[in-house]
Amino acid sequence: MEFADQIRALAKRVQKMKDSILTEEATKTSVIMPFFQALNYDVFNPEEFLPEFTADVGIKKGEKVDYAIMQNKKPMILIEAKSITEILTKHDSQLFRYFGTTVAKFAILTNGIIYRFYTDLEEQNKMDVTPFFEFNLFDIREHQIAELVKFKKDIFDVESINTTASELKYTIEIKRFLKEQWESPTDDFVSAILSDVYPGKKTRQIIEKFNGIVKRSFKEFVNDILNDKLQTALANTNSDQLNSEVAVTHEIVTDIENNKENLSEIVTTEEELEGYITARILLKDIIAPERINYRDNLSYFNILVDNSIRKWICRLHFNGANKYIQFNDDDKTMIGIKDISELISYKEQFVQTVKRFI
């Protein structure tokens, strides 16, 4: 089985049993050890995967790290494990103390679902405050698999990982910054954009005037990219010769604005928006596109008729490792998918479901 398939299989298994994992020890045995087994480490060989590694801290002797991955009898990676029910942030300082007392080059903090990878980019032999890489077992991305595979036993190389660690760390920070600007552009961000597009003086009044324009332009730009991707998918399919024009950018932006009070907790992803656009295209001959709306929540993404939760057409479950769509038919049919473009194949299910509400 390919590495990516192993990780996805583990994610699916953990999803099913997570509510039964109630302790740190159960998390270690049921989730964390299998995760490192997938990375080809012999978790039952203490010369390779050492439990309860001693890491003396200052005058404190006998401090234990949950695991250490050993190489030539030296710790290369320290692993601090917490219960699957715990939030990781409050434990960072503990691993921080351990890191500085060993020759380990990497440290991993995990609750079995989220794996945070640390090193010493900012100051040698001192663990950075922020991780350079984070892997979420319930939200697997292809580009993250490519980074995770570098930690496999048979290809693990400190120098190779260190070479890309800095780039990964700042990629995370840049994406975080862009997300913040997406939701609420700062004056500095607006001013930086205006320096290339507005020849006049950037007064406070001008910056305030352009704040909304920048925010709207940012969202339209991203949605244009989504639309282009969808058009490409449609052009490459023979399903009913779908060559529809996608003219929904304004509606998507409006929907995001109408739901902005939920943005602090709910993240509407590009895939979910692509699913929404696809539904509107597939149903354009059955129902007016403006009658198709969406409502996102923490568990799934609803596609609705007339913005009524009682008239949901389908639910997109894209937040976990395995993606699937559920139709609001008599059987509440659930279908697994790997790529958003597969939705085109289910045009008939979309049509038959929406006919229940028109």
Side-chain angles (χ1 to χ4, degrees):
M1 184 183 294
E2 295 290 333
F3 175 68
D5 294 331
Q6 286 182 282
I7 294 297
R8 290 192 178 94
L10 175 63
K12 185 176 181 180
R13 178 169 173 268
V14 175
Q15 279 276 17
K16 290 181 178 179
M17 66 180 181
K18 66 180 186 300
D19 293 337
S20 301
I21 304 174
L22 304 177
T23 65
E24 183 178 309
E25 285 305 312
T27 303
K28 291 177 182 177
T29 305
S30 303
V31 188
I32 296 173
M33 290 174 67
F35 179 84
F36 286 98
Q37 276 185 313
L39 288 167
N40 287 349
Y41 293 101
D42 184 351
V43 297
F44 300 108
N45 180 0
E47 293 185 347
E48 189 171 306
F49 196 84
L50 179 62
E52 296 295 304
F53 175 76
T54 301
D56 294 334
V57 180
I59 60 174
K60 284 188 175 183
K61 303 298 179 183
E63 291 287 300
K64 303 288 186 181
V65 180
D66 290 300
Y67 301 105
I69 292 178
M70 309 296 288
Q71 192 177 80
N72 299 323
K73 297 184 178 181
K74 295 180 180 180
M76 288 292 103
I77 305 174
L78 302 181
I79 304 165
E80 182 67 13
K82 298 300 172 185
S83 170
I84 200 170
T85 60
E86 292 194 55
I87 298 173
L88 297 179
T89 51
K90 63 182 180 181
H91 300 297
D92 290 357
S93 60
Q94 188 175 8
L95 190 58
F96 185 90
R97 294 198 308 273
Y98 296 156
F99 187 88
T101 65
T102 73
V103 297
K105 297 304 297 179
F106 302 102
I108 301 174
L109 179 67
T110 180
N111 60 3
I113 298 174
I114 296 173
Y115 293 78
R116 290 180 178 164
F117 293 72
Y118 297 84
T119 189
D120 55 354
L121 293 172
E122 297 177 8
E123 185 176 339
Q124 193 171 6
N125 299 322
K126 184 177 180 180
M127 193 181 91
D128 296 338
V129 175
T130 57
F132 69 88
F133 176 54
E134 183 172 308
F135 184 82
N136 188 332
L137 197 62
F138 290 173
D139 186 19
I140 298 174
R141 310 293 176 91
E142 291 299 325
H143 68 91
Q144 292 176 335
I145 289 284
E147 297 302 330
L148 183 63
V149 76
K150 296 176 183 177
F151 284 87
K152 289 186 67 176
K153 172 189 171 182
D154 48 330
I155 62 173
F156 176 75
D157 180 73
V158 173
E159 294 303 319
S160 175
I161 297 174
N162 269 335
T163 300
T164 58
S166 179
E167 180 179 333
L168 282 173
K169 177 179 178 179
Y170 289 109
T171 297
I172 292 172
E173 290 300 306
I174 290 170
K175 288 167 70 175
R176 178 195 57 76
F177 169 78
L178 291 175
K179 182 175 183 295
E180 291 174 353
Q181 301 308 315
W182 167 279
E183 295 176 359
S184 182
T186 63
D187 289 349
D188 288 342
F189 184 75
V190 174
S191 181
I193 290 176
L194 292 184
S195 64
D196 283 336
V197 301
Y198 181 75
K201 188 175 181 181
K202 285 76 174 175
T203 64
R204 180 75 179 178
Q205 185 177 8
I206 290 296
I207 289 175
E208 289 178 357
K209 174 184 175 181
F210 273 92
N211 186 284
I213 297 174
V214 168
K215 184 176 182 179
R216 185 167 62 253
S217 301
F218 200 175
K219 292 181 177 181
E220 289 187 6
F221 170 71
V222 173
N223 283 306
D224 283 345
I225 293 175
L226 295 179
N227 292 341
D228 289 342
K229 287 175 65 178
L230 183 59
Q231 286 283 41
T232 300
L234 291 173
N236 292 332
T237 183
N238 293 320
S239 177
D240 295 331
Q241 300 300 313
L242 292 174
N243 294 311
S244 316
E245 292 187 2
V246 183
V248 296
T249 299
H250 175 71
E251 290 89 343
I252 291 175
V253 173
T254 301
D255 286 334
I256 292 174
E257 290 299 316
N258 290 339
N259 288 282
K260 63 184 177 183
E261 67 273 10
N262 297 321
L263 285 174
S264 60
E265 298 178 5
I266 299 170
V267 177
T268 300
T269 66
E270 291 185 12
E271 282 190 318
E272 289 169 335
L273 288 175
E274 286 188 52
Y276 170 56
I277 296 169
T278 302
R280 296 181 72 151
I281 292 174
L282 294 174
L283 295 168
K284 71 179 184 64
D285 295 328
I286 306 298
I287 186 172
E290 60 268 19
R291 292 184 62 190
I292 305 297
N293 314 104
Y294 76 75
R295 193 176 304 179
D296 201 358
N297 63 38
L298 292 174
S299 301
Y300 48 78
F301 182 91
N302 278 303
I303 297 179
L304 316 166
V305 173
D306 298 332
N307 205 26
S308 171
I309 197 65
R310 296 179 181 179
K311 299 180 181 179
W312 62 276
I313 304 168
C314 65
R315 290 170 175 170
L316 306 181
H317 295 258
F318 288 175
N319 294 329
N322 300 295
K323 299 178 175 60
Y324 57 93
I325 180 173
Q326 180 180 24
F327 287 99
N328 190 12
D329 54 20
D330 291 337
D331 299 320
K332 299 296 185 288
T333 304
M334 301 181 74
I335 302 171
I337 63 172
K338 291 184 178 180
D339 187 84
I340 195 69
S341 63
E342 293 178 32
L343 294 184
I344 297 170
S345 303
Y346 302 103
K347 178 180 180 180
E348 187 59 28
Q349 284 91 332
F350 275 98
V351 169
Q352 293 305 318
T353 302
V354 84
K355 281 183 177 180
R356 297 160 65 100
F357 307 116
I358 58 176

